[in-house]
Amino acid sequence: MSEQTTRWPGPGYTRIPYGLYSDPQTQQQEQERVFRGATWNYLCLEAELPEAGSYRTTHVGETPVIVNKDADGEIYAFENRCAHRGALIALDKSGKADSFQCVYHAWSYDLQGNLTGVAFEKGVKGKGGMPDSFCKEDHGPRKLRVAVYCGLVFGSFSDDVPSVEEYLGDEICQRIERVMNRPVEVIGRFTQALPNDWKLYVENVRDSYHASLLHLFFTTFELNRLSQKGGVIVDESGGNHVSYSMIDKAAADASYKEQGLRSDADHKLKDTTVLEGFEEFDDGITLQILSVFPGFVLQQIKNCIAVRQVLPKGDGRCELNWTYLGYAGDTPQQRKARLKQLNLVGPAGFISMEDGAVGSFVQRGIAGAADLQAIVEMGGDTTASSDGRATETSVRGFWKAYRNHMEA
């Protein structure tokens, strides 16, 4: 196995080499050591596979994958790659099928990813065909281990990854259960192309320090300020985290204006209904951002619930798949409130639009600086959980997990 070409300056996680965001060899090694390594990767929602034959196509890292439900009620996942010449087996993003057949040479597969048919396997009129030694059972796309937790479908290429519950840990499991506590429905989806390395986006997700500094909407309308009650949970691996806060207008103070921060503005809304909603969690938490290493995010911002999937696309690019959720038991009024609050997130969201832009600012800013490092020292040098959010502890946690996989 080749060594990383980008060197860390020391054993800690407070200095991040800029070269990691642009080095082609590093990006190639991530596919093997992170995405096809001992990790659980989000594939889809169980709700998106309602019946036998339902399938979705997705990716684990750069690897195309089919995930589907078979007649036995189980969910299976395998590479979306024909065993013959490597063409995609399924071309649509979703659908329903009894089996799959590659359009190139018509090789066929069942819903568990087994090669079941080879067109003209015995030749035509005694001529041609595959050799007698060819055995279909010995060929086929690689299969993934599949685990379903609270309606979230994860897959792994690794036999070494622990159970998904152990991978997530108790605290993260509890926080997933808090949101995914009843049947969900997909109420919208977007795919967003980002002009930055995937790690810049997942760092941003874990960065509670930036949220009320970059996002004018958060701060001005008091959806999220560092002075509000909240905290950050980082699991032992470092790779999984939760940031949470509670809207508390009484906690508003002059600290943002005193520091001249642009995010505390005097803007007003002509229509304030996007800020309204309804109480549905009994713990008072109005914002919870949760991530699972390497690229899964579950968010609750007031009544806006969504999952995000971050996928590397190489050469300083990544893809962000948004899936917006409602609960199956929503009243019409609740569904209306969720749909209105979707304006907060997504590619053009009042909040998330800035996250889509700032990664590009960093990617462009670090050009020519591969030998320098970012400073990730806010809140100290550990990856411990914190009862405050002016910290980069969960960003350091990401790099702890990343290094463990990349240097294993």
Side-chain angles (χ1 to χ4, degrees):
M1 185 178 293
S2 60
E3 296 297 322
Q4 282 187 258
T5 54
T6 300
R7 297 293 180 185
W8 289 78
Y13 314 110
T14 61
R15 297 292 184 272
I16 313 303
Y18 287 135
L20 291 174
Y21 303 108
S22 58
D23 177 53
Q25 186 169 337
T26 296
Q27 294 170 353
Q28 183 180 5
Q29 291 167 342
E30 288 169 354
Q31 297 300 317
E32 175 187 357
R33 303 180 188 184
V34 173
F35 295 102
R36 292 196 297 274
T39 59
W40 283 107
N41 294 266
Y42 173 74
L43 300 178
C44 68
L45 294 161
E46 189 175 22
E48 294 175 292
L49 306 173
E51 55 189 336
S54 299
Y55 74 88
R56 287 197 62 80
T57 56
T58 183
H59 288 79
V60 171
E62 65 181 10
T63 306
V65 168
I66 299 172
V67 53
N68 65 183
K69 179 178 286 188
D70 200 356
D72 62 2
E74 297 295 321
I75 295 174
Y76 298 87
F78 50 92
E79 279 186 306
N80 187 5
R81 176 186 58 79
C82 182
H84 180 214
R85 299 288 294 278
L88 291 173
I89 298 171
L91 303 177
D92 296 329
K93 290 186 176 180
S94 64
K96 191 170 184 296
D98 297 326
S99 61
F100 297 98
Q101 187 175 80
C102 175
V103 69
Y104 197 0
H105 297 92
W107 285 32
S108 301
Y109 302 86
D110 65 18
L111 298 181
Q112 299 185 21
N114 300 306
L115 175 62
T116 55
V118 173
F120 299 116
E121 181 177 358
K122 301 301 181 184
V124 178
K125 298 182 178 179
K127 298 180 180 179
M130 298 295 285
D132 293 338
S133 60
F134 180 78
C135 178
K136 290 193 286 293
E137 287 75 13
D138 294 339
H139 298 278
R142 289 180 291 192
K143 299 178 181 178
L144 285 76
R145 290 176 61 190
V146 172
V148 181
Y149 186 78
C150 286
L152 304 171
V153 181
F154 294 92
S156 178
F157 281 105
S158 172
D159 292 328
D160 298 326
V161 67
S163 71
V164 72
E165 291 84 357
E166 185 179 350
Y167 184 84
L168 296 169
D170 291 341
E171 289 183 297
I172 304 300
C173 283
Q174 291 170 14
R175 292 293 182 147
I176 291 176
E177 291 169 6
R178 174 182 171 274
V179 176
M180 303 294 288
N181 58 16
R182 59 202 126 140
V184 297
E185 293 179 346
V186 175
I187 60 175
R189 63 173 90 244
F190 274 102
T191 294
Q192 185 174 2
L194 297 177
N196 53 264
D197 183 81
W198 70 279
K199 299 186 291 298
L200 286 171
Y201 187 83
V202 295
E203 275 189 302
N204 174 275
V205 165
R206 289 163 169 82
D207 180 2
S208 56
Y209 173 41
H210 90 281
S212 63
L213 301 177
L214 174 67
H215 301 303
L216 182 149
F217 200 92
F218 260 159
T219 311
T220 300
F221 300 108
E222 300 180 8
L223 296 180
N224 183 11
R225 298 168 71 104
L226 290 174
S227 52
Q228 294 173 347
K229 186 177 180 181
V232 178
I233 298 169
V234 184
D235 80 335
E236 187 174 346
S237 77
N240 309 321
H241 105 289
V242 176
S243 174
Y244 62 94
S245 63
M246 306 174 188
I247 292 176
D248 180 6
K249 293 187 177 180
D253 57 30
S255 58
Y256 284 76
K257 288 192 183 299
E258 288 172 356
Q259 295 205 30
L261 301 176
R262 58 163 283 280
S263 59
D264 192 1
D266 295 324
H267 296 304
K268 307 293 182 185
L269 292 173
K270 288 185 177 179
D271 179 358
T272 61
T273 54
V274 71
L275 301 174
E276 299 171 358
F278 55 96
E279 290 189 17
E280 62 181 343
F281 299 101
D282 59 8
D283 54 11
I285 293 174
T286 49
L287 180 146
Q288 175 178 292
I289 306 295
L290 180 152
S291 70
V292 175
F293 188 86
F296 171 75
V297 183
L298 173 65
Q299 69 151 66
Q300 173 235 330
I301 301 175
K302 293 180 69 72
N303 305 113
C304 178
I305 299 169
V307 298
R308 310 177 207 167
Q309 178 192 38
V310 187
L311 296 172
K313 291 299 176 184
D315 192 26
R317 297 179 298 117
C318 66
E319 182 176 280
L320 178 58
N321 292 316
W322 293 85
T323 305
Y324 303 135
L325 304 181
Y327 295 114
D330 280 348
T331 66
Q333 292 77 18
Q334 289 172 333
R335 185 60 58 88
K336 182 178 180 180
R338 284 192 216 287
L339 291 170
K340 179 157 287 191
Q341 289 182 3
L342 293 186
N343 288 291
L344 300 176
V345 298
F350 294 140
I351 299 166
S352 300
M353 181 170 56
E354 292 154 328
D355 289 324
V358 77
S360 169
F361 299 164
V362 176
Q363 192 77 52
R364 287 186 281 161
I366 62 177
D371 56 335
L372 302 179
Q373 303 98 34
I375 301 170
V376 185
E377 209 164 1
M378 181 63 65
D381 60 2
T382 73
T383 61
S385 298
S386 168
D387 57 6
R389 290 172 297 121
T391 177
E392 294 169 305
T393 187
S394 48
V395 179
R396 291 188 290 274
F398 169 78
W399 289 108
K400 175 184 176 182
Y402 180 89
R403 290 190 69 172
N404 283 340
H405 285 280
M406 291 290 283
E407 297 174 356

